[in-house]
Amino acid sequence: MSRGALGDLEHQVLLAALRLKAEAYSVSVVLEIEERTRRSPAQSAVFIALRRLEEKGLLRSRLERREPEARRARRYFQVTPAGMEKLREMRESLLGLWQGIAVELDGTS
């Protein structure tokens, strides 16, 4: 895997953050991934992936306390322009790999 490549979980986290827009924080990302993939990633793994994606410049975050009675602020994440470009690159790469093999997967000739 090249240095700029994303692992499966990072890819899923980035897509979930894009889908959630302003509501992307660790718990909402876990729930989105569970709903879309029917897999349950560990919240700690998602949090680590969120921070790693932020370090790579693919996400940015902000602390926000949305309710006055909230004890702690949540860290919300947003996909950066670099993150959008990475998602475009990955989509093109995967579509290229999928091209021409749907027939084999569907079992039709």
Side-chain angles (χ1 to χ4, degrees):
M1 188 180 298
S2 76
R3 201 158 172 26
L6 299 180
D8 287 342
L9 182 60
E10 286 180 320
H11 191 179
Q12 291 173 2
V13 167
L14 197 55
L15 285 168
L18 178 62
R19 188 177 286 280
L20 290 165
K21 297 179 174 57
E23 298 301 317
Y25 65 99
S26 61
V27 173
S28 67
V29 170
V30 168
L31 294 173
E32 183 70 19
I33 291 171
E34 284 178 348
E35 182 181 330
R36 300 280 173 182
T37 68
R38 293 177 178 50
R39 294 182 152 205
S40 299
Q43 187 172 345
S44 59
V46 168
F47 184 77
I48 290 167
L50 285 164
R51 297 302 247 171
R52 191 178 314 125
L53 290 165
E54 187 173 27
E55 288 171 7
K56 291 179 180 184
L58 304 178
L59 290 175
R60 68 174 153 256
S61 70
R62 70 191 185 290
L63 280 175
E64 189 175 315
R65 183 174 283 123
R66 293 209 173 162
E67 295 135 21
E69 67 276 359
R71 290 185 298 172
R72 293 183 352 172
R74 282 187 181 148
R75 182 167 297 279
Y76 290 90
F77 293 85
Q78 181 179 9
V79 179
T80 65
M84 292 297 289
E85 184 57 33
K86 177 57 79 175
L87 285 171
R88 284 185 198 98
E89 289 171 14
M90 293 193 72
R91 180 181 60 189
E92 290 303 312
S93 175
L94 290 172
L95 287 175
L97 286 169
W98 278 103
Q99 196 170 29
I101 63 170
V103 171
E104 287 83 1
L105 287 174
D106 294 339
T108 58
S109 5

